[in-house]
């Protein structure tokens, strides 16, 4: 009887041990994640006022909040000879209207559960706010008042210019900003896309008249689109929008000329004596979002240098220790685009880092990645895209991006599907087609006496120097 009991106990202990091992193994090996699904674009309804203002309603979510954003196709592209005129003009919109001071505007929107938000980009800018749903009509009226009846006081401009001067001084003391300005200029020349920073003198010369004229000329209804996203009463908000924006006078239609880029190779070395790091920019003009190869280029960029696990990052950060945060980027412009790799590397590793970056570009242009490597990148991009569209403002941004670049509804609806349809051969082909190292622009901010001898020893750089 005792023997039988012992056998039963041994069996029980064996089963328990096996179960424990299985649990431990399960903890060590998490289940594979499912493939992200296509992003479902919410149902939208768009109307157009007689003055040309487009209005899109996007019912989204259950939280009783609503985001209103007036997006206009203007920005630094329209600065003319006064770089950052658009930034300062949008800031002036926040300084009060004919009937409300800046403080009153801020208090009014705070009482609605929100705050005023402005953002100026190269081709597109906006003013808007997120408020409690019950105040959606009041928010629409406030935005209309700000763009139609801003007061443009000299005292406000003086304060904004002083703040801008401080911001400019900080920016131009940064090696990254210096490198960006020189690199963008090498690609776009004197076009607005190639001018990132003003001079202190040009900021000083700005007048209230210049900001007022910028607003009246460029922030007009027929170049604007008002998005309403969240929980709201469409009938009430629509009536409020018509009442608030109906008297806004249309302006001149936007006209954009073909953007001419400057072909490489080119090399710019900006002295930063005894700098412990070299700030690098290596790239060239490519294509814009409307091009048929754009998504392939996007996937290629993510695999090559656009993610933490990408090839260039793994090489010069993880394996070699030359830098902490390298990254490649696709810059989107209307009718144009640009790809470049950016990195701050230790000064003594400047030549070696560039050599490795070029090796990775050339390798991907001659040899397709494995299915496994590409699948990991596709899962990452698809997941990020879905997460990026999980808010009221994010959906507005995506819809506005598609409108700015003339993309059809399939761009967003089929984004995930398009990513997964890209093959390893596609990645290899777009690298070969668009990333010709011998046509690239190279910009370095660093110590000349340390950098120059290193570059002379990198054979792959000789066509650029």
């Amino acid at each position: 009887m005792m023997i039988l009991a012992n056998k039963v106990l041994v069996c029980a202990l064996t089963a328990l041990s096996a179960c424990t091992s299985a649990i431990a193994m399960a903890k060590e090996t998490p289940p594979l994640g499912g493939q992200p699904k296509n992003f479902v674009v919410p149902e939208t309804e768009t109307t157009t006022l007689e003055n040309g203002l487009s209005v899109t309603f996007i019912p989204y979510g259950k939280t009783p909040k609503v985001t209103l954003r007036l997006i206009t196709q203007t920005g630094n592209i329209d600065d003319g000879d006064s770089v950052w005129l658009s930034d300062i003009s949008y800031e002036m919109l926040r300084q009060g209207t004919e009937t409300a001071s800046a403080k009153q505007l801020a208090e009014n929107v705070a009482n609605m559960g929100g705050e005023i938000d402005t953002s100026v980009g190269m081709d597109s800018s906006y003013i808007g706010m997120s408020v409690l749903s019950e105040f959606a009509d009041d928010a629409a009226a406030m935005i209309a008042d700000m763009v139609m009846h801003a007061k443009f006081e000299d005292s406000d401009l003086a304060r904004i210019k002083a703040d801008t001067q401080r911001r400019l001084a900080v920016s131009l003391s940064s090696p990254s900003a210096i490198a960006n300005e020189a690199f963008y200029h090498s690609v776009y020349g004197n076009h607005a896309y190639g001018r990132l920073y003003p001079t202190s003198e040009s900021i000083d010369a700005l007048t209230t008249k210049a900001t007022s004229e910028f607003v009246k000329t460029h922030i007009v209804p027929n170049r604007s689109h008002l998005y309403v996203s969240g929980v709201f009463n469409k009938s009430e908000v629509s009536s409020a929008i018509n009442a608030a924006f109906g008297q806004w006078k249309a302006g001149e239609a936007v006209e954009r000329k073909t953007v001419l880029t400057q072909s490489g190779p080119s090399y710019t070395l900006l002295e930063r004596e005894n700098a412990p790091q070299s700030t690098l920019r290596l790239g060239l003009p490519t294509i814009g979002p409307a091009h048929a190869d754009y998504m392939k280029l996007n996937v290629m960029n993510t695999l090559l240098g656009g993610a933490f696990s990408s090839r260039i990052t793994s090489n010069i950060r993880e394996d070699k220790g030359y830098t902490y945060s390298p990254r490649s980027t696709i810059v989107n412009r209307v009718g144009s685009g640009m790809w470049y790799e950016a990195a701050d590397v230790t000064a003594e590793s400047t030549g070696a880092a560039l050599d490795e970056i070029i090796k990775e570009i050339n390798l991907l242009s001659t040899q397709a990645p494995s299915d496994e490597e590409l699948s990991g990148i596709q899962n990452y991009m698809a997941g990020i895209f879905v997460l990026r569209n999980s808010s009221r403002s994010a959906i507005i941004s995506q819809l506005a991006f598609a409108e700015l670049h003339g993309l059809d509804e399939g761009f967003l609806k089929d984004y995930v599907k398009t990513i997964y349809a890209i093959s390893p051969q596609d990645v290899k082909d777009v690298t070969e087609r668009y990333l010709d190292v011998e046509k690239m622009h190279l910009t370095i901010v660093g110590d000349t006496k340390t950098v120059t001898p290193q570059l002379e020893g990198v054979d792959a750089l000789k066509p650029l120097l």
Side-chain angles (χ1 to χ4, degrees), residues 230-245:
V231 176
F232 53 88
N233 183 308
K234 179 181 173 297
S235 177
E236 292 180 1
V237 178
S238 181
S239 296
I241 289 172
N242 277 282
F245 290 94

Side-chain angles (χ1 to χ4, degrees), residues 133-259:
S133 296
E134 62 191 280
F135 298 111
D137 51 351
D138 295 322
M142 182 178 291
I143 294 172
D145 189 33
M146 293 169 71
V147 297
M148 295 168 62
H149 305 122
K151 62 181 181 179
F152 299 104
E153 296 285 345
D154 288 339
S155 58
D156 293 324
L157 180 61
R159 186 182 67 257
I160 292 170
K161 285 165 63 171
D163 290 341
T164 302
Q165 292 282 20
R166 286 190 287 271
R167 182 160 58 97
L168 177 63
V170 171
S171 294
L172 295 183
S173 67
S174 162
S176 180
I178 295 169
N180 280 342
E181 183 176 40
F183 177 74
Y184 275 66
H185 183 73
S186 70
V187 174
Y188 288 111
N190 290 324
H191 187 275
Y193 291 166
R195 295 181 293 129
L196 302 187
Y197 297 99
T199 63
S200 178
E201 291 76 17
S202 68
I203 295 297
D204 279 339
L206 286 178
T207 64
T208 52
K209 181 180 179 181
T211 60
S212 174
E213 289 181 348
F214 179 92
V215 170
K216 291 176 182 177
T217 301
H218 301 293
I219 307 179
V220 292
N222 48 317
R223 291 174 61 173
S224 301
H225 198 137
L226 178 64
Y227 291 89
V228 183
S229 176
V231 176
F232 53 88
N233 183 308
K234 179 181 173 297
S235 177
E236 292 180 1
V237 178
S238 181
S239 296
I241 289 172
N242 277 282
F245 290 94
Q247 302 304 311
W248 195 11
K249 293 183 180 180
E252 294 293 326
V254 61
E255 292 185 12
R256 298 289 183 237
K257 297 180 180 179
T258 301
V259 179

